[in-house]
Amino acid sequence: MTVMMYWYPKCGSCQKAKKWFEAHNVALEAVHIVENPPSKELLKDFYEKSGLELKKFFNTSGIKYRELGIKDKVKTATEDELLELLASDGMLIKRPIITDGKRITVGFNEEQFEKAWL
């Protein structure tokens, strides 16, 4: 499967990730996370395959995260409610999310990228 990158073009971490993939000659298919946010089902698949806590999928530095008081909601909401919330707005999702259908990385971490994508 193609390596897919769910990103927001103005995001610094997303730009760094894109440059990293270009420098390592890894072809990417980029998906604008705000214009085409991943569905609840797709987010659930990412979450299950990533091995990360669901709260790691939230863009905790985002304005909407703070405006909606999600920090408190994460503590008591069900997995289904959190996935619904994430799927409702691409700006709530930590980015970039990169996947080839088997592996998933969330955010940009060069060391993590070297292990996962080279």
Side-chain angles (χ1 to χ4, degrees):
M1 181 180 173
T2 308
V3 177
M4 303 279 293
M5 177 170 75
Y6 290 84
W7 77 319
Y8 183 63
K10 294 180 182 176
C11 164
S13 295
C14 295
Q15 292 170 3
K16 287 178 189 173
K18 187 172 186 281
K19 285 179 184 168
W20 186 92
F21 280 102
E22 287 169 353
H24 291 87
N25 297 313
V26 177
L28 281 177
E29 185 173 326
V31 177
H32 195 296
I33 202 163
V34 177
E35 294 172 0
N36 297 298
S39 67
K40 179 181 171 184
E41 294 74 22
L42 193 54
L43 285 163
K44 182 174 180 155
D45 184 58
F46 291 167
Y47 158 61
E48 289 172 347
K49 288 179 179 172
S50 73
L52 298 170
E53 293 177 78
L54 189 53
K55 67 182 182 179
K56 297 285 186 190
F57 281 81
F58 281 93
N59 175 15
T60 57
S61 60
I63 295 167
K64 287 222 172 170
Y65 182 87
R66 292 190 298 271
E67 282 177 356
L68 298 174
I70 294 173
K71 179 181 177 184
D72 297 321
K73 291 179 184 177
V74 169
K75 296 172 187 171
T76 58
T78 65
E79 177 183 298
D80 194 61
E81 290 168 334
L82 293 176
L83 288 165
E84 194 76 42
L85 191 56
L86 282 167
S88 73
D89 190 331
M91 293 303 280
L92 291 175
I93 303 170
K94 184 174 177 77
R95 50 197 184 262
I97 293 179
I98 300 160
T99 183
D100 63 359
K102 295 181 184 132
R103 297 169 289 183
I104 310 282
T105 56
V106 179
F108 176 72
N109 177 304
E110 200 165 340
E111 202 173 288
Q112 182 185 35
F113 273 31
E114 286 176 12
K115 289 178 186 168
W117 304 114
L118 291 183

